Amino acid sequence: MRGFIKPRFTRLHMPFRAKAERSRHSFPLLAGVLCGSFWQHASQQNVYLSYFAEQYLAGHNTGSFSAAMSVSFLSAMILQAVVLFFSLSCIGAPVLACVPVLRGISIGCVSAYLYASMGMRGLLANLILFWLPAILQSVFLVLFTDAALDTSTSLFRLNFLEQATGAGTKISRCLRIFVVSSLGMLLAAILEGLLAVIFAPVFLK
């Protein structure tokens, strides 16, 4: 009787455990947002974050759909490519753990730049133009990073600890999630382009 109850108990709690793991992976993203939000305090010594924000917003300032959509999609796919590359490495887990932080820094950097340069109008522009697409892209990135970390650690255990971890199945699952998350990135970028066409002439001019 006990042998039948334990697997059932484990299966019932697997969704909650997966949800807790995804929540844990979202903490580095939030930490990156906080770090990027304080970019102006370091901008006198280092202008890279300021340059990034200016270049990211350059496509939105024109109110062009193609410019805003392309810069949003390409910046998202750069991180997607990094996650995909290191998911297939048995020592890629440390890099993968840093990817949500980088995404959060970019969000916080753009938010702080808009607020510092335009005040409340910049804050409204950030909320209307960028936050919804950024949240969607961040959710897809965290989901993909979670699968990539699982794949990379499985490859590590297989190669260094000689443990059978079902690495082949996890690689195929990771690739499927990559396709789905990339489509999600594209949809979020299209939404950002549409918002730029409608609201950028109002807030960023």
Side-chain angles (χ1 to χ4, degrees):
M1 185 71 178
R2 187 177 302 174
F4 290 101
I5 295 176
K6 188 173 182 180
R8 185 182 302 174
F9 179 82
T10 303
R11 286 195 299 270
L12 287 173
H13 284 73
M14 282 179 65
F16 298 99
R17 184 172 59 186
K19 184 176 180 181
E21 289 177 355
R22 286 193 292 268
S23 300
R24 185 178 70 246
H25 295 323
S26 66
F27 290 146
L29 176 71
L30 297 176
V33 172
L34 292 176
C35 291
S37 298
F38 294 100
W39 70 272
Q40 65 269 30
H41 297 294
S43 61
Q44 294 180 353
Q45 294 82 16
N46 190 340
V47 297
Y48 291 113
L49 293 179
S50 178
Y51 178 78
F52 165 78
E54 291 174 357
Q55 293 301 310
Y56 186 84
L57 294 172
H60 297 74
N61 290 332
T62 61
S64 170
F65 170 79
S66 59
M69 188 272 288
S70 60
V71 70
S72 175
F73 183 62
L74 289 176
S75 63
M77 289 307 297
I78 290 174
L79 291 180
Q80 286 281 98
V82 171
V83 174
L84 178 63
F85 178 80
F86 284 100
S87 68
L88 303 176
S89 170
C90 59
I91 55 173
V95 177
L96 293 171
C98 296
V99 170
V101 178
L102 296 177
R103 176 60 181 166
I105 288 175
S106 66
I107 295 173
C109 176
V110 172
S111 302
Y113 181 86
L114 286 170
Y115 181 74
S117 58
M118 293 187 291
M120 289 303 299
R121 188 162 67 105
L123 180 61
L124 288 175
N126 184 40
L127 292 175
I128 295 174
L129 285 169
F130 300 108
W131 268 96
L132 180 57
I135 289 173
L136 291 175
Q137 290 183 345
S138 299
V139 168
F140 284 112
L141 180 65
V142 168
L143 291 175
F144 181 38
T145 304
D146 179 61
L149 276 168
D150 189 26
T151 303
S152 179
T153 53
S154 296
L155 291 173
F156 178 86
R157 291 197 298 267
L158 178 64
N159 285 276
F160 292 98
L161 304 180
E162 297 182 354
Q163 297 178 355
T165 57
T169 302
K170 292 182 179 180
I171 289 175
S172 62
R173 175 178 174 269
C174 184
L175 293 176
R176 289 195 300 270
I177 294 178
F178 167 73
V179 174
V180 173
S181 62
S182 297
L183 291 175
M185 298 290 187
L186 178 60
L187 292 176
I190 291 174
L191 175 61
E192 188 168 334
L194 293 174
L195 292 175
V197 171
I198 299 172
F199 294 107
V202 178
F203 291 104
L204 299 182
K205 293 292 184 178

